[in-house]
Amino acid sequence: MKNPIILSLLLSILFAVNLQAQDKLSWRKHAKLAEELFSKGQFADAAEHYSAAWKKKTKKKELAYKAGESFYLIRDYRNAAELWKNVKNEHESYPLIGLQYARCLKQNGDYEAASSELVNFLGQYNGADKSTISEIVQNELRGCELAAQYAVKGPDENIQIEYLSSNINTPEIEFAPMPFGDEALYFSSTMGKRAEIFRSIKSGNIWSKASPIENFPKIEGDHFCNGSLTPDASRFYFTICKSVESWGGLTSQCELYVTRRMGNSWSAPERLPDYLNEVNATTTHPYVIHDGSTEVLYFASNRKGGMGGMDIWYTTREINSNANDFTLPINAGSKINTIGDEITPYYDQVDDALYFSSNGQVSIGGFDVFMSKGAKSHWGKAKNMGMPINSNADDFYFVKTTSGKGGFFSSNRTFEMEKLTTTDEDIFAFNFLVKEQRWVAKGEVYSKKTKEILKDVEVAIYELDGDQRRFKDKIVSATGLYNFDVEPDRRYMLEVLKPGFFQKTYEFDTREYAEYDDFGAPIFMEPYYDGYQEEPIAANRDTDTGINTNTYSPPSVAKDSHGANTGSGANTSAPAGGQKVQVNEPATNYNGSVAGTNANTNTTSNANANTTSNTTAAYPATEVVNPENSINGKTATGGGSTDTIASPKAGKSYYKIQIIALSKFNPNLSMYNSVKNLGKLDTEYIQDRGLYRVMIADYSSASAAKADLSAVRKNRMFHDAFIVEYKDGQRIRTIF
């Protein structure tokens, strides 16, 4: 850890000595020295000499401007603002000076003053590019407003920031952290007066003194930095940047290189092809991932064809190829890139998210860290990572550790007494504090008619993905209360069943998990009307059909290997209690296949022949009300007991429309009249639920079923109908 007291004292002494020496120089000599230093990229020294010249010659406004520019380049926002306030209205000589001055105020954390200066600047600016400048100013104003919101809200308390010790951070520049596991950190630093890659190992909570990486190819003179290792550790991408007297960050011209692992050492660096390293452009900040058999390389570049300054790009190659045969670079698109600069991409394959830094998106400082879900050139809206990841300064090189419990980033922010200036970048660690965050869907199930809580209800939860649903959990609630754990940013559906009530579904998503932790709702179930309420053994009169109906338990029907009926006259068993009864089957019957019932059948060729169970019923057999002898239907592929329906072929999918699930089934009820013309009525008995699935069968294709689905749903009783795919007699999946 840097000692702030000693450091401050040394800086004060050096500044005093330097100032005393400078007092002997004329403003002209100061200005000349400043120009020479500026041309060599030594902006800090140039700033001092331009400032000294300005103090001696305040009439020469250009000295104040150049001094402010030099301070801004080393990101000393406070001193830059002090110098530029003297020339902020010199629009004729410096058309954008008002914008530059306001940005300094913003990055110094003076958001109110910055907003005022931005408005003043835009009101006086009359350049031909005013529409573009107006867009930039509006973006900066939104950034000031966002900063004010964060100031009220405060930083995220679940993220802990740590300034790394002097074993890693130095008075020079540390950047581009690259964790290897959770205990090793590779990073770039100019501590040796040129940018190189270093390594530090963590033991307990202490990072070791950083040292240059071993067995790496020797690179003379130039800067080499910004490393990224492939997931299989076979290739290492990095940048080599042209040597100047000092490291200039984005002002240094860099190109992408790769070296290959050769045992315990690495091959000589290979420059990537010219169509990646475009002439007169900077190509830098590589980050590599493997996606199946493809290697994807994200990088930043100000190459031609971009949207602004630096943009995020990507290129790919086949992993099984040893050549550097990358595809032509593709821009990541307008959801990521802006007219400003986008740099330091990092892709998290766990979250399918790109993290990057931008000064063109709405930021609270200069460069802020953003996150966008997606891949390659297809992205969602970029989200500002907020405080404490971002600050009023520049924040970039965001990367997570392997475990995902934390990570690192680089920033030139001040940090308590450990970092007092914004003129150098250092590496910070962040940790996600463990929080017992739980999201649930809970509520109660009510009768829509009585508004009373229903007991003994079955509630199942499914996760939705497009038109597919995946079963997650199921409960039978004696109290009518349901309570399921859910995950953030998902879609779900609850399915509620209770004898005597229509099936009820409730769909919801958890996208707003940051604001809510309970996504349940009260669910109201509609009871059946009296025509098909639970009935006693004694006969009741169906007021709608005029047919005398007793409790109806459809018999099981022998199936072929595809789930189709083998014919009439099958030996059947009533599901309730597993008791078998004697049944007289008509020649034409609905398809009464029963799931989960194993009936040993003896069939005869006589359609009206009796089939008798070998088991005596434990209670008097009830009269079975058979379905109508004539049900009009479409010709379809599937199981049926008439010659108009063809048996499905082995291995072929066929489809049914499930219209409802009931504890008892009577096909003569009028509610089925609207769907009888669509196909055969089919049932499946679900033993563990005591319910009959009622379906229209069968369809040779999903599209044919979908064509009828809308007609089925017009009946309010069947508004939750859906399509089910079958294969070889097995229920494969549901299709909405």
Side-chain angles (χ1 to χ4, degrees):
M1 181 181 297
K2 299 175 185 176
N3 188 318
I5 298 176
I6 295 176
L7 180 60
S8 180
L9 181 60
L10 288 173
L11 289 174
S12 298
I13 295 172
L14 289 172
F15 182 75
V17 172
N18 196 33
L19 186 63
Q20 187 176 18
Q22 290 180 10
D23 282 341
K24 298 178 181 179
L25 300 177
S26 66
W27 73 267
R28 293 182 183 276
K29 289 186 177 180
H30 277 301
K32 185 176 181 181
L33 280 172
E35 289 176 5
E36 293 174 358
L37 292 166
F38 192 94
S39 66
K40 295 177 181 179
Q42 297 179 22
F43 305 121
D45 292 336
E48 290 185 18
H49 283 285
Y50 276 130
S51 296
W54 158 250
K55 289 176 182 178
K56 290 177 178 287
K57 194 70 171 179
T58 56
K59 291 182 179 181
K60 296 190 71 66
K61 298 285 188 179
E62 67 268 23
L63 295 175
Y65 176 80
K66 290 181 178 179
E69 183 182 21
S70 299
F71 277 121
Y72 188 74
L73 286 171
I74 62 172
R75 286 168 300 176
D76 185 340
Y77 312 121
R78 184 179 61 81
N79 279 321
E82 283 294 318
L83 270 300
W84 274 347
K85 74 178 180 181
N86 297 288
V87 292
K88 66 176 184 176
N89 295 317
E90 300 292 324
H91 305 293
E92 293 295 327
S93 301
Y94 314 106
L96 297 178
I97 186 59
L99 175 60
Q100 293 170 306
Y101 174 60
R103 280 177 163 171
C104 281
L105 294 173
K106 179 190 174 193
Q107 292 198 249
N108 201 40
D110 193 349
Y111 295 110
E112 186 175 350
S115 296
S116 178
E117 291 297 335
L118 285 166
V119 172
N120 291 339
F121 162 72
L122 189 59
Q124 299 178 45
Y125 187 77
N126 294 310
D129 57 349
K130 185 166 184 175
S131 61
T132 300
I133 295 300
S134 177
E135 180 183 344
I136 293 172
V137 170
Q138 294 299 329
N139 212 47
E140 295 289 1
L141 286 169
R142 285 192 289 268
C144 292
E145 182 180 347
L146 181 63
Q149 294 174 10
Y150 283 135
V152 173
K153 184 179 179 180
D156 189 338
E157 295 179 353
N158 298 313
I159 302 177
Q160 185 181 59
I161 302 296
E162 176 192 358
Y163 178 78
L164 297 188
S165 73
S166 58
N167 282 342
I168 291 177
N169 288 322
T170 71
E172 302 301 326
I173 297 173
E174 280 71 47
F175 59 103
M178 184 186 74
F180 189 76
D182 289 341
E183 307 301 328
L185 178 65
Y186 292 80
F187 64 96
S188 300
S189 175
T190 60
M191 66 177 75
K193 300 307 177 184
R194 69 165 182 160
E196 297 182 64
I197 299 175
F198 291 79
R199 184 183 72 160
S200 177
I201 303 297
K202 191 175 185 180
S203 178
N205 292 321
I206 306 299
W207 290 99
S208 67
K209 184 70 175 177
S211 59
I213 54 176
E214 300 175 353
N215 302 322
F216 196 77
K218 192 171 184 180
I219 299 173
E220 298 287 351
D222 291 330
H223 304 280
F224 66 98
C225 48
N226 299 316
S228 180
L229 186 67
T230 57
D232 60 5
S234 64
R235 295 163 70 94
F236 183 73
Y237 292 91
F238 64 102
T239 58
I240 294 181
C241 305
K242 288 184 177 180
S243 179
V244 291
E245 292 193 27
S246 65
W247 171 249
L250 293 182
T251 64
S252 297
Q253 186 171 343
C254 303
E255 294 182 324
L256 294 176
Y257 282 74
V258 65
T259 178
R260 308 164 195 261
R261 182 181 291 278
M262 300 178 65
N264 293 326
S265 61
W266 295 87
S267 67
E270 302 171 51
R271 180 179 176 275
L272 296 191
D274 288 343
Y275 60 85
L276 292 180
N277 288 312
E278 196 172 84
V279 177
N280 297 324
T282 284
T283 307
T284 184
H285 304 157
Y287 190 81
V288 62
I289 64 169
H290 284 175
D291 182 10
S293 62
T294 303
E295 184 172 280
V296 183
L297 180 65
Y298 292 96
F299 62 93
S301 178
N302 59 354
R303 60 188 293 120
K304 294 177 182 177
M307 297 184 178
M310 298 288 288
D311 276 6
I312 305 295
W313 301 74
Y314 76 92
T315 180
T316 65
R317 60 178 289 274
E318 292 302 311
I319 293 175
N320 58 11
S321 170
N322 289 324
N324 294 324
D325 49 352
F326 288 92
T327 59
L328 290 174
I330 297 176
N331 193 281
S334 59
K335 292 289 184 65
I336 304 297
N337 296 316
T338 67
I339 58 177
D341 294 315
E342 282 69 44
I343 57 174
T344 65
Y346 156 71
Y347 191 81
D348 183 352
Q349 288 184 281
V350 175
D351 291 339
D352 293 327
L354 178 72
Y355 294 82
F356 64 100
S357 289
S358 171
N359 61 12
Q361 302 273 358
V362 177
S363 69
I364 64 175
F367 282 101
D368 274 12
V369 178
F370 293 83
M371 181 274 286
S372 177
K373 295 267 191 176
K376 296 180 180 176
S377 56
H378 303 284
W379 305 100
K381 183 178 179 180
K383 175 185 176 183
N384 190 299
M385 290 293 290
M387 299 170 64
I389 296 297
N390 291 320
S391 67
N392 59 282
D394 292 315
D395 307 291
F396 28 52
Y397 290 105
F398 178 96
V399 63
K400 291 182 183 179
T401 57
T402 305
S403 68
K405 296 179 181 179
F408 303 90
F409 63 90
S410 294
S411 178
N412 66 324
R413 70 180 69 183
T414 59
F415 190 79
E416 299 173 352
M417 291 300 293
E418 297 174 280
K419 189 173 188 299
L420 302 175
T421 71
T422 58
T423 56
D424 68 304
E425 300 151 22
D426 283 331
I427 295 177
F428 292 76
F430 66 88
N431 293 289
F432 297 117
L433 301 182
V434 177
K435 181 183 178 183
E436 292 298 328
Q437 177 68 55
R438 184 184 177 209
W439 294 274
V440 298
K442 64 181 180 181
E444 292 173 314
V445 181
Y446 297 85
S447 167
K448 186 175 181 180
K449 182 176 181 180
T450 67
K451 303 300 187 290
E452 294 179 351
I453 295 176
L454 295 176
K455 298 180 179 180
D456 301 317
V457 293
E458 179 182 305
V459 187
I461 185 168
Y462 298 84
E463 184 176 338
L464 304 180
D465 184 6
D467 63 354
Q468 305 296 313
R469 66 177 186 175
R470 292 188 294 274
F471 174 79
K472 303 294 290 183
D473 196 6
K474 181 184 75 173
I475 61 170
V476 177
S477 174
T479 63
L481 174 68
Y482 67 87
N483 191 344
F484 295 101
D485 286 328
V486 294
E487 297 294 326
D489 206 20
R490 300 286 192 274
R491 289 179 58 238
Y492 292 96
M493 182 184 77
L494 296 178
E495 180 184 68
V496 189
L497 300 173
K498 180 175 173 60
F501 291 81
F502 287 110
Q503 170 185 309
K504 186 69 175 179
T505 60
Y506 163 57
E507 293 186 20
F508 63 95
D509 65 65
T510 56
R511 287 178 296 183
E512 296 183 349
Y513 62 89
E515 287 76 29
Y516 304 100
D517 56 12
D518 183 2
F519 296 89
I523 296 176
F524 293 87
M525 301 189 74
E526 187 172 352
Y528 302 153
Y529 58 79
D530 292 341
Y532 52 103
Q533 286 279 9
E534 295 282 346
E535 298 172 343
I537 297 298
N540 286 324
R541 175 70 54 183
D542 186 314
T543 58
D544 186 39
T545 63
I547 298 174
N548 189 36
T549 60
N550 287 334
T551 303
Y552 180 65
S553 297
S556 65
V557 177
K559 298 180 185 179
D560 63 15
S561 61
H562 310 302
N565 296 345
T566 57
S568 62
N571 185 24
T572 63
S573 61
Q579 305 295 337
K580 298 183 179 180
V581 297
Q582 182 171 316
V583 178
N584 291 332
E585 292 273 6
T588 55
N589 196 5
Y590 73 102
N591 182 358
S593 58
V594 180
T597 302
N598 295 322
N600 295 322
T601 61
N602 293 314
T603 63
T604 70
S605 60
N606 185 351
N608 293 318
N610 293 344
T611 56
T612 306
S613 169
N614 295 325
T615 304
T616 302
Y619 52 87
T622 60
E623 179 186 356
V624 174
V625 179
N626 292 309
E628 299 176 16
N629 288 335
S630 177
I631 299 178
N632 296 325
K634 295 181 179 180
T635 301
T637 302
S641 58
T642 69
D643 293 335
T644 59
I645 303 296
S647 176
K649 295 181 180 180
K652 298 290 186 180
S653 291
Y654 56 100
Y655 303 85
K656 304 181 183 186
I657 299 176
Q658 181 168 324
I659 60 176
I660 202 167
L662 303 170
S663 60
K664 293 179 175 61
F665 171 64
N666 184 346
N668 295 316
L669 294 177
S670 62
M671 70 176 184
Y672 298 115
N673 290 343
S674 66
V675 298
K676 286 179 179 178
N677 67 322
L678 298 177
K680 293 288 185 180
L681 289 182
D682 189 8
T683 63
E684 289 179 350
Y685 182 64
I686 312 169
Q687 286 184 318
D688 61 343
R689 296 186 182 181
L691 292 172
Y692 293 90
R693 292 173 177 146
V694 184
M695 297 172 289
I696 301 171
D698 290 316
Y699 295 88
S700 60
S701 68
S703 59
K706 287 179 181 178
D708 282 352
L709 183 61
S710 59
V712 172
R713 287 177 171 173
K714 288 180 180 178
N715 185 327
R716 74 179 184 88
M717 302 294 185
F718 310 139
H719 68 278
D720 290 324
F722 55 89
I723 300 169
V724 185
E725 180 183 357
Y726 285 78
K727 195 176 209 179
D728 294 333
Q730 299 297 316
R731 190 177 174 99
I732 303 300
R733 61 172 180 151
T734 61
I735 304 173
F736 290 96

